[in-house]
Amino acid sequence: QVQLVESGGGLVQPGGSLRLSCAASGRIFNVNAMGWYRQAPGNQRELVARISSGGITNYADPVKGRFTISRDNGKNTVYLQMNSLKPEDTAVYYCNLPLRGIDYWGQGTQVTVSS
């Protein structure tokens, strides 16, 4: 069974930073990419950032220049460094692992950006 566990969310003031972590465990083979998604109340879940197994990254426009996704393949862990946070970044952030045609998701970690 594949499990993803996110951590690192919390309450931060605008302009602050948070670093999210997602640790994957279980039967994981030939991973092509991992990603971070977020979902704010009333909104659809949206892609935030994605990173391939080789380290190629892409970002949603709202977070470009502010967020950085990285991974440690040896630890089966993906990170999301979030800088210059804005209130509109407030959401539940989910780790995603596509594996053998199935999308695996973490439980989500709440990020709240508020004065």
Side-chain angles (χ1 to χ4, degrees):
Q1 181 181 358
V2 175
Q3 296 188 42
L4 305 175
V5 179
E6 303 103 332
S7 62
L11 174 64
V12 65
Q13 294 192 9
S17 297
L18 287 172
R19 190 187 191 217
L20 307 183
S21 298
C22 172
S25 62
R27 294 175 57 83
I28 303 171
F29 305 98
N30 301 117
V31 176
N32 293 319
M34 296 182 72
W36 286 97
Y37 289 70
R38 67 186 182 187
Q39 187 167 20
N43 290 4
Q44 295 183 325
R45 188 172 298 186
E46 64 180 11
L47 174 69
V48 176
R50 180 184 288 118
I51 185 168
S52 74
S53 61
I56 300 173
T57 61
N58 60 77
Y59 299 89
D61 286 342
V63 309
K64 286 181 179 177
R66 299 188 297 119
F67 291 10
T68 303
I69 188 171
S70 61
R71 69 188 299 164
D72 184 335
N73 288 335
K75 298 180 179 179
N76 294 125
T77 301
V78 64
Y79 307 93
L80 185 67
Q81 178 67 45
M82 304 185 294
N83 298 326
S84 302
L85 283 161
K86 304 175 180 179
E88 52 262 43
D89 295 318
T90 296
V92 178
Y93 284 70
Y94 297 91
C95 181
N96 169 253
L97 169 61
L99 184 63
R100 297 187 293 274
I102 300 172
D103 277 333
Y104 294 90
W105 299 92
Q107 83 287 350
T109 184
Q110 177 71 49
V111 172
T112 302
V113 185
S114 176
S115 298

